[in-house]
Amino acid sequence: MVRNSSTASEILAVRPSRRGFLIGGGAVGLAGLLAACGLGGGGEQGAAGSGKGDIRALFMKQAGYSEENINEMVSAFQKATPEIKVSADFVSYEALHDKIVAAAPAGTYDVVLIDVIWPAEFGSKNVVADVTNRWPASWEQQMLGGAVATPQYDGKFYGVPWILDTKYLFYNSAHLQKAGVDAAQLDTWDGVLDAARALKSGGVVEYPLIWSWQQAEALICDYAQLLGAFGGSFLDDSGQPAFQQEGGVQALEFMRQTIVDGLSNPTSTQSLEEDVRRVFSSGQASLALNWTYMYGLANDPAESQVPGDVQVLQTPSGPSGRPGVNGSMALAVAAGSQNQDAAWKFVEYVTSQQVQEKYALSSLPVWESSYDDPAVVKTNPAVVPQAKKQLGDLILRPQVESYNAMSQALQAEIQLALLGDKTPQQALDDAASKASSLLES
Amino acid sequence: MAGSGGGKGEGRFALLLLLPAAVVVFGVVLYPVVRTFVVSLYDITSPMPGSYPFVGLDNYVKVFQDSAFYTVLGHTMYFTLVSTFLELTLGIAVALLLNAPLKARWLWRSIVVLPWALPTIVNGALWRWIYNGQYGALNGLLDTVGISDTPVQWLGTPFLALNMVIVADVWKNTSIVVFFILAGLQTIPDDLYEAARIDGASAWRGFWRITMPLLAPAIAVVLILRTIEAFKVFDIIYVMTGGGPASGTQTVAFYTYLQAFSNQLFGYGAALAYLIVLAVFALAMAYLRLLRQGQMAGVE
């Protein structure tokens, strides 16, 4: 996200001296960071520590719990556990992965927030600690299935689920009313297309749909949700790419067609979730997929021009159902942490049912029983009922070590199809052949 | 300092004064250069300590077999050539203007430095907003002045996006060119122009025969600076397009970053980074040679 891209400058911040620039240029900056990583020597193995002292945690400032929420949690923990001192850092989602990687060898962080697509990579590369032995058996029953799967890879736990999220369908009820569209129609993707056509022909908005289809992970999240609706899957049972087959191709054809028909805003291919929120909140779109957090902000008069008109539904169903993309995140203990016991205590505290319920407006709890608690339902009465239906039906993106590289290949090819430079079939075939070679190596 | 014939103590003091610079040069420049080379010889796939296989020059071989590398190299060359050319042409023009006896010249000069004073990250975020196809200022402007009311997706197609990123880069970096050239212009004595005028030379001829040759050293320096900076462009792309659409704005530095940090291929990333260093080194050498020749020409 643009909001906090300063990390990029931090990453390449080494300013060469004048002579340095002549012999090496600022590439040295990158080289310097590369040099700091890997090849032994640089890092130390983690240690359990005394369970006391200072710990440092890395969070994101974006969807989910706000910076303010997290700072409150930290001070509440501090009050209850004065022997552990926590300092929290925040970066944007787009910078989170690379910050974790760059900080890993120095053991800078004790606790890091990880996305559902990273446990395979971080677990097998020893960036985060295996906490299977610390996991109480009861949690697996008490947490929702999608949450339990989030920090899991190869039968091991690499963290504790904390943000449980998927993409919901948001609509502008005033727009629908103007176009004479019944919200019940939004139950299927076909119905969504009909609604979009009515909104367009009725002149309510020029482009009824807005998506986060920038060349980024956000694109894969939208694609995953459609892939599931059309009955496709990322990988087959033998672990080979399968998205270039029927359902996967249909999902991409669907996406491309909405652009050709002028139903999707052409800025979609340059938009992240925050851009979607902005366009939707300014009343320039009527329908959008986004994470839970958009509900609160799009209905907030300070942030939105359409407060009160924003409604939320479960993701529409396609020919093969309506799975949501598992967009959850977990808190992990860094493998290089010298104070892993203290780090674990902090993780246990902030992921506890009591703390999660308190902040349910920002992010829904991972604990199953919370969804029947009237106090929790009251915090977010519009989203909780939809979440209750949706969170039992989530699909994971591939849990493979080389996920990032595979995702990048898929993002680029999907964009070529969206821009009309390749047919959906051709683009996905090309992505599949790249993915196969990545999965082999 | 040494010329003043100082004693032994003074020599030591001189060494002491040089120490911080030496630490910086060795620590920040030489150590990473050597270390990166070592890393590039291993197949390192995690930031954590461990034993990784030594692969010799395999990573370099892989770079040259990687079709994506040639694509991003093409983007980088295009970016470098076009942005440097535009920055230089515009920079010289603006500097000539600011060198003229204008009213409130100090004010114009401070305005010109503003874009350069802006951090690249902020500049990138700014232009991302300006170019936005939905609510961007550029489409708004085109609509208001009546040129076009159909919004253009400035960052929507790969080649257009690359050009628009170049425009944003040119907007920011022309400033520094202006300053170098302005400094160069002020060293040219007015009597040369006067003499030319007396001999009946036109202003145009004066520009090509007096201004340009005497500006050569300043132009060469700024050309080196800008080419090298453009060749390793990263942050403006990270902010404005994230390398998209369809990888159309990925440059060598951005690709290196992706491989090293997103994909944790540190050995491969180090090989890529090393190749950037070598390319930049070659560019610097070529320019330094040009600069020397330029100075000779200037003397003649």
Side-chain angles (χ1 to χ4, degrees):
Chain A
M1 190 76 30
V2 180
R3 258 200 269 168
N4 185 48
S5 298
S6 59
T7 37
S9 59
E10 278 161 38
I11 283 166
L12 297 182
V14 183
R15 287 236 163 237
S17 66
R18 215 174 80 213
R19 200 176 313 170
F21 119 82
L22 282 178
I23 62 165
V28 167
L30 190 60
L33 237 142
L34 282 166
C37 303
L39 208 65
E44 288 174 77
Q45 289 298 339
S50 58
K52 293 181 216 165
D54 293 353
I55 57 169
R56 219 168 138 185
L58 182 64
F59 297 100
M60 69 167 182
K61 46 174 153 197
Q62 212 150 302
Y65 302 108
S66 69
E67 199 171 336
E68 204 184 344
N69 294 156
I70 294 168
N71 286 330
E72 271 175 40
M73 293 178 201
V74 167
S75 39
F77 173 75
Q78 212 88 85
K79 213 173 267 172
T81 326
E83 69 273 19
I84 300 173
K85 197 181 165 320
V86 184
S87 51
D89 289 346
F90 297 84
V91 294
S92 72
Y93 172 80
E94 278 69 31
L96 185 60
H97 173 278
D98 303 341
K99 179 103 175 166
I100 293 172
V101 171
T108 311
Y109 291 103
D110 302 280
V111 174
V112 291
L113 179 63
I114 61 169
D115 197 5
V116 60
I117 47 182
W118 302 335
E121 178 197 352
F122 285 166
S124 59
K125 292 177 191 293
N126 193 29
V127 172
V128 297
D130 173 1
V131 291
T132 317
N133 293 332
R134 297 182 191 258
W135 253 69
S138 59
W139 283 4
E140 282 184 65
Q141 275 78 53
Q142 292 164 353
M143 288 181 186
L144 285 159
V148 175
T150 299
Q152 225 175 354
Y153 171 63
D154 213 10
K156 290 179 184 144
F157 286 109
Y158 291 101
V160 183
W162 189 46
I163 297 170
L164 182 56
D165 212 347
T166 183
K167 287 201 154 180
Y168 297 92
L169 182 74
F170 292 82
Y171 68 93
N172 184 313
S173 55
H175 286 188
L176 257 58
Q177 209 174 1
K178 234 184 262 175
V181 174
D182 181 5
Q185 199 181 322
L186 305 178
D187 196 49
T188 64
W189 280 115
D190 281 341
V192 169
L193 287 187
D194 287 342
R197 284 188 202 105
L199 285 154
K200 190 178 173 78
S201 62
V204 179
V205 279
E206 188 169 9
Y207 300 111
L209 287 155
I210 176 81
W211 310 81
S212 55
W213 291 348
Q214 184 176 324
Q215 185 170 355
E217 193 55 33
L219 165 60
I220 303 300
C221 293
D222 279 9
Y223 177 68
Q225 201 138 317
L226 287 162
L227 178 84
F230 284 95
S233 59
F234 283 106
L235 303 178
D236 62 18
D237 294 337
S238 62
Q240 285 305 305
F243 51 76
Q244 78 283 19
Q245 289 155 21
E246 290 169 29
V249 179
Q250 285 162 13
L252 185 50
E253 280 167 351
F254 174 94
M255 291 160 74
R256 166 73 184 149
Q257 199 58 43
T258 64
I259 292 182
V260 173
D261 294 345
L263 300 177
S264 287
N265 194 314
T267 56
S268 294
T269 54
Q270 307 133 56
S271 299
L272 293 169
E273 293 93 333
E274 275 292 270
D275 304 299
V276 168
R277 178 174 79 79
R278 261 182 230 124
V279 171
F280 190 84
S281 300
S282 68
Q284 289 173 307
S286 314
L287 300 156
L289 278 186
N290 212 339
W291 309 107
T292 313
Y293 86 109
M294 182 158 103
Y295 184 79
L297 290 174
N299 275 315
D300 176 355
E303 289 274 344
S304 167
Q305 291 165 37
V306 292
D309 294 338
V310 180
Q311 303 295 330
V312 61
L313 290 173
Q314 204 181 347
T315 183
S317 74
S320 299
R322 54 171 51 169
V325 59
N326 188 336
S328 306
M329 298 182 83
L331 282 173
V333 174
S337 162
Q338 297 301 306
N339 210 348
Q340 297 188 352
D341 283 351
W344 178 257
K345 278 187 200 161
F346 177 66
V347 171
E348 257 183 330
Y349 174 80
V350 288
T351 58
S352 68
Q353 188 159 7
Q354 173 202 349
V355 172
Q356 292 210 344
E357 286 179 354
K358 190 172 169 199
Y359 296 96
L361 182 60
S362 300
S363 176
L364 294 174
V366 302
W367 305 93
E368 198 169 0
S369 63
S370 299
Y371 291 78
D372 295 319
D373 181 342
V376 174
V377 178
K378 216 173 71 189
T379 59
N380 209 339
V383 180
V384 172
Q386 304 302 335
K388 217 170 144 182
K389 285 187 272 179
Q390 190 64 65
L391 292 175
D393 185 13
L394 297 182
I395 43 171
L396 285 166
R397 284 160 278 166
Q399 303 285 91
V400 292
E401 223 183 283
S402 55
Y403 177 78
N404 281 347
M406 197 175 128
S407 173
Q408 285 155 21
L410 195 52
Q411 289 161 27
E413 293 294 336
I414 288 179
Q415 283 224 316
L416 286 170
L418 292 177
L419 294 170
D421 291 348
K422 281 186 185 177
T423 64
Q425 183 69 61
Q426 186 62 52
L428 293 173
D429 280 341
D430 292 349
S433 79
K434 277 181 211 159
S436 304
S437 60
L438 285 166
L439 288 164
E440 273 159 33
S441 62
Chain B
M1 190 192 312
S4 65
K8 211 175 173 187
E10 214 168 316
R12 232 179 256 155
F13 182 61
L15 275 179
L16 198 71
L17 287 177
L18 283 173
L19 199 64
V23 168
V24 168
V25 169
F26 282 92
V28 180
V29 181
L30 284 181
Y31 173 75
V33 165
V34 173
R35 177 86 173 171
T36 304
F37 182 66
V38 175
V39 170
S40 74
L41 302 177
Y42 287 81
D43 185 19
I44 296 174
T45 52
S46 160
M48 301 307 278
S51 59
Y52 298 99
F54 178 81
V55 292
L57 294 175
D58 263 16
N59 283 324
Y60 293 89
V61 174
K62 263 198 249 165
V63 170
F64 290 110
Q65 290 170 345
D66 182 353
S67 64
F69 171 71
Y70 295 99
T71 313
V72 297
L73 188 64
H75 297 159
T76 312
M77 305 275 256
Y78 181 80
F79 184 96
T80 307
L81 286 175
V82 177
S83 67
T84 310
F85 174 76
L86 290 178
E87 282 159 21
L88 224 64
T89 320
L90 274 173
I92 292 174
V94 175
L96 286 171
L97 200 66
L98 289 182
N99 201 42
L102 297 166
K103 260 188 198 159
R105 195 155 70 166
W106 62 270
L107 180 70
W108 303 120
R109 288 185 180 177
S110 349
I111 289 175
V112 165
V113 83
L114 273 179
W116 188 68
L118 215 61
T120 310
I121 297 289
V122 177
N123 184 44
L126 202 86
W127 282 92
R128 191 176 187 266
W129 276 76
I130 292 172
Y131 289 153
N132 188 290
Q134 184 71 37
Y135 46 76
L138 184 54
N139 281 336
L141 181 73
L142 292 180
D143 192 10
T144 314
V145 300
I147 294 177
S148 156
D149 60 355
T150 25
V152 181
Q153 302 301 318
W154 298 107
L155 299 175
T157 45
F159 187 60
L160 181 60
L162 184 59
N163 285 297
M164 298 321 282
V165 174
I166 289 176
V167 171
D169 187 73
V170 168
W171 181 79
K172 175 175 159 63
N173 288 314
T174 299
S175 298
I176 188 74
V177 180
V178 171
F179 268 76
F180 270 91
I181 302 298
L182 205 51
L185 282 174
Q186 281 167 358
T187 63
I188 305 178
D190 280 342
D191 8 337
L192 287 178
Y193 295 102
E194 220 167 288
R197 230 184 356 260
I198 292 166
D199 289 346
S202 65
W204 185 244
R205 211 175 149 85
F207 172 73
W208 283 109
R209 287 299 171 90
I210 302 168
T211 317
M212 284 307 269
L214 290 178
L215 268 185
I219 292 177
V221 167
V222 81
L223 196 63
I224 299 175
L225 265 171
R226 287 310 313 147
T227 312
I228 291 171
E229 286 286 323
F231 193 81
K232 57 195 184 53
V233 60
F234 172 84
D235 34 11
I236 196 161
I237 287 176
Y238 181 92
V239 177
M240 285 186 67
T241 63
S247 304
T249 55
Q250 278 186 8
T251 57
V252 177
F254 190 87
Y255 186 68
T256 304
Y257 168 83
L258 273 188
Q259 295 299 335
F261 293 101
S262 296
N263 302 346
Q264 300 207 33
L265 300 171
F266 292 99
Y268 190 63
L272 279 164
Y274 221 77
L275 290 172
I276 299 179
V277 173
L278 288 182
V280 167
F281 182 69
L283 277 175
M285 284 298 141
Y287 278 141
L288 283 177
R289 177 153 293 191
L290 268 179
L291 176 62
R292 247 198 323 263
Q293 283 166 355
Q295 271 167 340
M296 302 294 259
V299 170
E300 282 159 19

